[in-house]
Amino acid sequence: MIQCKDFAPRITERGPFGGASDYESFSEVVSEVNQWIENTTIQVINVETVVLPDSLKSTSDGVYGVTVSNGVYPVMISQGVTVNCFQCVRVWYREEWR
């Protein structure tokens, strides 16, 4: 069965009132993807960069940020209304049988 896993920038520093103020760089996200691939028994089918809205769910540990200073993409969804999106890595894979 084919599956996918998304990796997005994690919050690295908290700002006022518990909000995020700084995030991982995209190269750090790619490094995490490489480590995950190396430490799991999967067959990688494809790796791609995707831009996702700020409400990403079901990531590996729940501490991912919603925006990153070097990867925020405001997307207009209607006149004057924008949604912040961010760059992440999606890995498509198949679990290998041992």
Side-chain angles (χ1 to χ4, degrees):
M1 178 184 274
I2 295 174
Q3 299 179 50
C4 72
K5 183 174 179 79
D6 292 332
F7 295 83
R10 294 176 192 233
I11 296 168
T12 59
E13 185 177 321
R14 292 280 177 190
F17 309 109
S21 64
D22 203 6
Y23 301 87
E24 287 180 318
S25 67
F26 187 72
S27 62
E28 289 171 306
V29 175
V30 171
S31 178
E32 181 183 346
V33 170
N34 285 325
Q35 289 174 0
W36 180 76
I37 290 170
E38 187 176 307
N39 294 321
T40 57
T41 56
I42 61 166
Q43 173 192 2
V44 175
I45 296 168
N46 190 38
V47 178
E48 61 187 344
T49 301
V50 293
V51 176
L52 296 176
D54 66 359
S55 59
L56 181 67
K57 294 183 177 148
S58 302
T59 52
S60 63
D61 64 9
V63 296
Y64 287 99
V66 295
T67 57
V68 60
S69 59
N70 63 355
V72 173
Y73 301 92
V75 176
M76 186 172 291
I77 58 172
S78 70
Q79 191 171 22
V81 178
T82 60
V83 173
N84 285 331
C85 297
F86 61 97
Q87 185 177 21
C88 72
V89 176
R90 178 170 288 160
V91 179
W92 291 93
Y93 66 95
R94 182 177 292 128
E95 290 185 10
E96 292 186 351
W97 300 98
R98 289 184 176 202

